[in-house]
Amino acid sequence: MTGQLVLKKADFFTSSAQPVAVADRYPQNVFAEHTHDFCELVLVWRGNGLHILNDRPYRITCGDLFYIRAEDRHSYESVNDLVLHNIIYCPERLKLNVDWGDLLHSNNVRWRLSSHGMAQARQLIAQLEHESPKPDALSLCLAESLFLQLCIMLRRHRYQPQDAVGPDSGETLDLLMGALGKSLETPFDLQLFCQQHQVTERHLRQLFRQQTGMSVSQYLRQQRICQAQDLLRHSEMLIGDIATRCGFEDSNYFSVVFTKETGLTPRTWRQRYAAA
């Protein structure tokens, strides 16, 4: 793409030998579409925003994890107190005899990290942030070993957004996120969820807003709109069928909500972006 913004290693790494670095975003502001000549892991701690990755929109919030390849195109829009870490790395500089491809690449670029996994990640990232800028050989080796621990830990504690539970999780917020991920096509009953998991609805609503900056209903609506945008862009489904697929029983109501959230009707949005 002509004029594509490319982020360069020289601007983010202290030397040509440094394999990994930590770039905190407190907060992450709106950022134009770009690629890199390095790879990165993105881990979201708080707030919310719209992450556009290779033309697919994702409404992101605490616990979201992305594996970004150098050639991937992505941007951030509609951010709201979005706090995240970028763990950036150069595959060709990694020296340990490890199957990095297995740890860092899969068919899925977006995962969620359980609450327990996030707590462990914070500790490892803090150590990595302290060690990675140091230029001596032992520090470079230690930084890479910390990165390896982080990758293994992420692999152990990550799960797909539509899974009902995380791999090790009994945390209510993790369970709620999983349940919401499975409810894009069907109604979601928060009261029933709270009864099943023996938590008060008021407490859960407050916890969810504290962590994400959104209400439960806002988050679910945003996820459904993102799915609708992806289907409008990459499928030939009828708009009424897309509405149903995204949890809207009435296509007219879907059009009203979609227009309010995006500024365009579903038909206009498809015409503008489907051929882009």
Side-chain angles (χ1 to χ4, degrees), residues 148-192:
L148 174 59
Q149 291 180 62
L150 177 63
C151 292
I152 294 172
M153 188 279 302
L154 295 177
R155 180 69 175 268
R156 172 175 288 175
H157 296 288
R158 73 188 187 186
Y159 62 97
Q160 281 295 288
Q162 67 271 19
D163 288 349
V165 295
D168 61 352
S169 178
E171 295 285 345
T172 306
L173 191 60
D174 296 331
L175 296 171
L176 176 57
M177 285 294 192
L180 292 171
K182 295 185 70 175
S183 299
L184 299 187
E185 301 181 24
T186 57
F188 178 74
D189 189 333
L190 181 61
Q191 185 178 21
L192 178 60

Side-chain angles (χ1 to χ4, degrees), residues 90-150:
C90 301
E92 73 280 5
R93 297 179 185 176
L94 297 172
K95 305 299 183 184
L96 295 178
N97 185 21
V98 173
D99 187 350
W100 291 105
D102 181 61
L103 282 174
L104 293 167
H105 302 291
S106 71
N107 292 329
N108 300 301
V109 296
R110 187 235 187 147
W111 298 80
R112 284 197 55 78
L113 192 63
S114 70
S115 299
H116 184 56
M118 289 182 70
Q120 292 190 35
R122 281 186 182 275
Q123 297 179 9
L124 285 170
I125 291 172
Q127 293 177 271
L128 184 59
E129 189 170 22
H130 174 74
E131 201 66 40
S132 60
K134 298 179 182 179
D136 62 282
L138 287 178
S139 293
L140 292 175
C141 185
L142 179 54
E144 186 174 345
S145 69
L146 288 167
F147 181 59
L148 174 59
Q149 291 180 62
L150 177 63

